[in-house]
Amino acid sequence: MSELSELIPVEAIRLDVAAPDWQAAVRTAGNLLVETGVSTDTYTQEMIRNVAENGPYIVIAPGFAFAHARPSPAVRRTGMSWVRLASPVNFGHETNDPVHLVVALAATDAGAHTEAMGALARLLADSDTSEALDHAATPQALRQILAGDAASAGATSTDTASSPTSSSEGGEAAAPKRSGHGMHKILTVCGNGVGTSLFLKSTLDKVLDRWKWGRYITTEATDTISAKGKASEAVAIMTSREIGRTLGDVGIPVRVIEDFTSTKEVDAALRDLYDV
């Protein structure tokens, strides 16, 4: 969790911000990245253009948008910002609008922030922690929550995924019915391969850990262009509705996940894929 709080300093947090539309909300988050020396104004425009070109796939959970763009020279170092809106705004997402929280990410590469994405996913999936973040009175108070114990996040959450085992407790899940020989791979896909896809990968990994299927299935976060080439190596893709439409027919099942923080939804998608 310390990595997450280090990526979001107090100076990169704004609470109860007035924004007339989604562009202004993303611009506010981008300006905080600029002010803290993480990126330039060019990157802020790239985040806005990302939504304009790919749709509101960055709205990965009810009320939550994870703004980002591809790594580029406009990113000086990996960092994040946090903007809680005074009034929610619409991004055009079919199920997760309106948005009251915008977290922006600028990353120098796809692997520099994987641990922080997992920590953020766990925090937002835990109802008590999420509520505390929504009601934090000051940036300092919010950052204290971010710097809390990651092990406690999700421990009491009701959004859990059960293992597809027999009725006997402690038993390991049976191998996937489609296992055959060798490892299976599931791709999590977003427009850039560095933000929402890593977020979804973290939730998927959490479910696979509970199922004890790590020996059968590997996961990989990637972007839309790479996913089309990697589809032949995978058994399925998990992604947003918007990115699913962009991918089209890639020759393997594509499962749409509406809430990237929901282990229940990912659990159901896995059960459907493997007929569990």
Side-chain angles (χ1 to χ4, degrees):
M1 187 66 69
S2 60
E3 181 183 348
L4 178 60
S5 62
E6 288 167 5
L7 289 176
I8 310 177
V10 170
E11 295 78 12
I13 300 171
R14 292 288 185 277
L15 304 180
D16 304 323
V17 172
D21 51 35
W22 71 262
Q23 292 94 333
V26 173
R27 190 172 294 111
T28 299
N31 288 344
L32 290 175
L33 295 177
V34 174
E35 292 171 11
T36 52
V38 169
S39 60
T40 68
D41 290 328
T42 298
Y43 186 77
T44 301
Q45 294 306 313
E46 290 172 356
M47 289 195 296
I48 294 173
R49 186 165 57 250
N50 182 38
V51 179
E53 293 178 352
N54 297 305
Y57 78 91
I58 67 168
V59 186
I60 60 176
F64 172 49
F66 192 50
H68 63 286
R70 291 182 182 276
S72 74
V75 179
R76 293 171 173 164
R77 59 180 176 83
T78 297
M80 299 169 69
S81 64
W82 188 288
V83 176
R84 192 175 71 196
L85 300 175
S87 299
V89 299
N90 289 325
F91 276 65
H93 196 280
E94 295 181 21
T95 59
N96 291 335
D97 270 344
V99 168
H100 69 275
L101 172 63
V102 179
V103 176
L105 165 73
T108 55
D109 61 71
H113 53 286
T114 304
E115 190 174 318
M117 293 304 94
L120 182 58
R122 289 190 295 272
L123 280 176
L124 295 179
D126 180 66
S127 58
D128 291 338
T129 306
S130 182
E131 184 175 358
L133 290 167
D134 286 343
H135 292 89
T138 65
Q140 291 80 2
L142 190 143
R143 191 169 183 273
Q144 282 187 330
I145 298 171
L146 296 179
D149 183 4
S152 64
T156 61
S157 173
T158 58
D159 183 17
T160 58
S162 60
S163 172
T165 60
S166 64
S167 59
S168 59
E169 295 184 4
E172 183 174 330
K177 292 181 180 179
R178 299 179 184 177
S179 62
H181 299 285
M183 295 284 288
H184 280 196
K185 179 188 289 186
I186 296 177
L187 302 176
T188 59
V189 184
C190 74
N192 303 290
V194 297
T196 57
S197 59
L198 279 172
F199 209 101
L200 180 54
K201 180 183 184 300
S202 173
T203 303
L204 173 57
D205 287 341
K206 187 175 182 179
V207 175
L208 291 173
D209 284 346
R210 287 174 175 171
W211 284 24
K212 296 183 174 65
W213 274 17
R215 68 173 64 184
Y216 310 121
I217 300 174
T218 62
T219 61
E220 181 180 349
T222 190
D223 61 274
T224 50
I225 296 174
S226 300
K228 293 179 179 181
K230 293 179 178 180
S232 61
E233 307 169 2
V235 296
I237 285 173
M238 291 189 183
T239 189
S240 66
R241 190 174 303 277
E242 293 80 10
I243 297 301
R245 290 170 180 159
T246 298
L247 288 171
D249 184 4
V250 290
I252 59 174
V254 176
R255 293 293 182 265
V256 169
I257 306 297
E258 300 289 357
D259 184 351
F260 283 21
T261 69
S262 174
T263 54
K264 282 184 178 179
E265 190 174 352
V266 172
D267 179 276
L270 273 176
R271 290 176 186 275
D272 179 59
L273 280 169
Y274 287 98
D275 193 26
V276 173

